[in-house]
Amino acid sequence: MNQKAKIVLIGAGNVATHLGLAYKSAGYEIIQVWSKTIESARRLAKQLGVVPLTDIGKLSKDADVYVIAVKDDAVSLIVKKLALKEKLIIHTSGTVPMLLLKTASKNYGVIYPLQTFSKNRKIDFSTVPLCVEANDKNTEKRVVALARAISKNVYVISSEKRKALHLAAVFACNFSNHMYAVAEKIIKKQKLPFALLIPLIEETAAKIKTGSPVKMQTGPAIRGDKVVIKEHLRMLAGDTKAKKIYELISESIKT
Amino acid sequence: MNQKAKIVLIGAGNVATHLGLAYKSAGYEIIQVWSKTIESARRLAKQLGVVPLTDIGKLSKDADVYVIAVKDDAVSLIVKKLALKEKLIIHTSGTVPMLLLKTASKNYGVIYPLQTFSKNRKIDFSTVPLCVEANDKNTEKRVVALARAISKNVYVISSEKRKALHLAAVFACNFSNHMYAVAEKIIKKQKLPFALLIPLIEETAAKIKTGSPVKMQTGPAIRGDKVVIKEHLRMLAGDTKAKKIYELISESIKT
């Protein structure tokens, strides 16, 4: 197709917002934004210059591509309500199998952006790894082209591998962020600024570009510094959860 | 003092190396490098253009400042062997109390760099937060001046608060790095490149500059996405430790 595909965006959360803005920047026409709540639909529709929608029965039939970017457990509920025949339907979830889309159209695929999105942070979408999959070779070409229009990091990856990637991302992103949160709690108790930890956090993340994280491991657990570990556990005595996390991760680092 | 202090460096590990190079760059004269093993002493001494030393009894008496940068549990062993009278003695540990230095000299202090150091990575030392402490106001002036010579982020912080900072750093750095390591293990099983996760890890670390990590939390645990969590735990069934970590951190994120 020489002409750029017309897109309907189903969802208005963080992923939908960043994806919608990326396609708008790439010159694609987004013709509709659906969301369960009118506030979210309006907020994103305004940014994209289109009409918001909350009645899924009134989805436009004029689009070429229907992108579902909602919470994982909401994808199947939405798919059940769609009958798009031969239109291309895409979901953006890490965990939902591609085959779930089968009942909604003959042509279906996945574009899973391996990134963490927040509403108020700009992302350079061109660097976001996009994991794509499609029901056949012809659809795959279309999905890859759509993905390449907004990112230079496009990988064809099966549902099974995508699911493993999503699990890895939970550790690398969600859980490391929680480690920052526990650190913040400890620091705030001492009335010290969290900003003190920023150079350390940045360097820890930057290091992995030069070598495997296993080789980059530092700290009392990998050194086997029992005196420090014992003292840290004593200091955490008042916070059962943080103490358990300290014990379990130290144990896991050692082995 | 108008003339720059002469420094003896006790230790030749990651912290000693980065500190030594920073002082050399700042125009200080390092007159000796001691290490337990001749290989380490030689390696660093060569970089600094000085003579290596392994006999602690032969430490030069001509220096103004003696900087101990060894493993936490080795600090006290070294201090016991030193009798520096009025020379300034400094340790660089996060956890060791400043008072431990008392037996070695009348003038003592701490310069704790809140950063993770690897031998083969260059660090912009001017941005490393240095937590300093000293036995009296006069010594504090000297220690602060020494710290400011290599970093623009210098904070006077008590032994007690420094210890809490070190504990926070274990979570923010060592434990988040272990989360990367678990993620790598999952990814490698699928024969996918770890590099796929780098943009995600960088963005997760960069985000905390714009807000508290608690507010930045994303993922299945904070969304309460039980279906995904259940599936992830099923996928981790073969890795007891990773599964326990997943359960414990998800639980901790929720509350």
Side-chain angles (χ1 to χ4, degrees), chain A residues 161 163 202 207 209 231, chain B residues 116 163 202 209 231:
Chain A
K161 282 185 195 253
K163 209 162 67 174
E202 290 191 308
K207 259 184 180 183
K209 280 191 278 191
E231 176 62 10
Chain B
T116 174
K163 208 163 65 174
E202 290 191 308
K209 280 191 279 189
E231 176 62 10

Side-chain angles (χ1 to χ4, degrees), chain A residues 101-139:
Chain A
L101 301 171
K102 207 176 148 181
T103 58
S105 169
K106 281 171 72 178
N107 300 311
Y108 50 91
V110 176
I111 298 181
Y112 167 53
L114 192 54
Q115 186 50 285
T116 174
F117 298 103
S118 320
K119 275 209 179 69
N120 301 318
R121 269 185 73 80
K122 281 202 175 165
I123 289 268
D124 175 7
F125 217 99
S126 71
T127 64
V128 175
L130 297 180
C131 307
V132 306
E133 192 183 4
N135 67 295
D136 61 29
K137 277 291 156 191
N138 192 38
T139 310

Side-chain angles (χ1 to χ4, degrees), chain A residues 164-165 167-168 171, chain B residues 181-191 235-236 239 242:
Chain A
L165 264 176
L167 174 58
F171 280 91
Chain B
V182 176
E184 189 188 35
K185 201 174 156 192
I186 295 166
I187 289 239
K188 276 194 170 171
K189 238 189 203 165
Q190 302 292 331
K191 299 192 169 52
M235 290 163 78
L236 290 171
D239 188 340

Side-chain angles (χ1 to χ4, degrees), chain A residues 132-153:
Chain A
V132 306
E133 192 183 4
N135 67 295
D136 61 29
K137 277 291 156 191
N138 192 38
T139 310
E140 188 180 295
K141 269 185 204 162
R142 290 179 68 193
V143 177
V144 166
L146 270 172
R148 286 214 179 119
I150 51 170
S151 170
K152 55 190 181 210
N153 293 331

Side-chain angles (χ1 to χ4, degrees), chain A residues 63-206:
Chain A
D64 305 296
V65 185
Y66 294 76
V67 177
I68 305 177
V70 298
K71 280 184 195 174
D72 286 6
D73 50 8
V75 179
S76 68
L77 299 174
I78 284 169
V79 168
K80 278 176 195 156
K81 291 177 186 161
L82 300 179
L84 299 168
K85 293 177 186 170
E86 306 207 349
K87 304 273 191 174
L88 179 54
I89 179 167
I90 285 171
H91 82 59
T92 56
S93 156
T95 303
V96 175
M98 179 181 66
L99 278 176
L100 196 94
L101 301 171
K102 207 176 148 181
T103 58
S105 169
K106 281 171 72 178
N107 300 311
Y108 50 91
V110 176
I111 298 181
Y112 167 53
L114 192 54
Q115 186 50 285
T116 174
F117 298 103
S118 320
K119 275 209 179 69
N120 301 318
R121 269 185 73 80
K122 281 202 175 165
I123 289 268
D124 175 7
F125 217 99
S126 71
T127 64
V128 175
L130 297 180
C131 307
V132 306
E133 192 183 4
N135 67 295
D136 61 29
K137 277 291 156 191
N138 192 38
T139 310
E140 188 180 295
K141 269 185 204 162
R142 290 179 68 193
V143 177
V144 166
L146 270 172
R148 286 214 179 119
I150 51 170
S151 170
K152 55 190 181 210
N153 293 331
V154 176
Y155 306 86
V156 177
I157 282 174
S158 70
S159 288
E160 205 53 34
K161 282 185 195 253
R162 173 164 40 82
K163 209 162 67 174
L165 264 176
H166 183 231
L167 174 58
V170 168
F171 280 91
C173 164
N174 308 148
F175 288 179
S176 63
N177 184 76
H178 188 60
M179 297 302 104
Y180 307 157
V182 176
E184 189 188 35
K185 201 175 156 191
I186 294 165
I187 290 240
K188 276 194 170 170
K189 239 187 200 167
Q190 301 292 330
K191 300 193 168 52
L192 291 167
F194 180 64
L196 267 169
L197 288 178
I198 289 177
L200 178 68
I201 286 172
E202 290 191 308
E203 170 64 9
T204 306

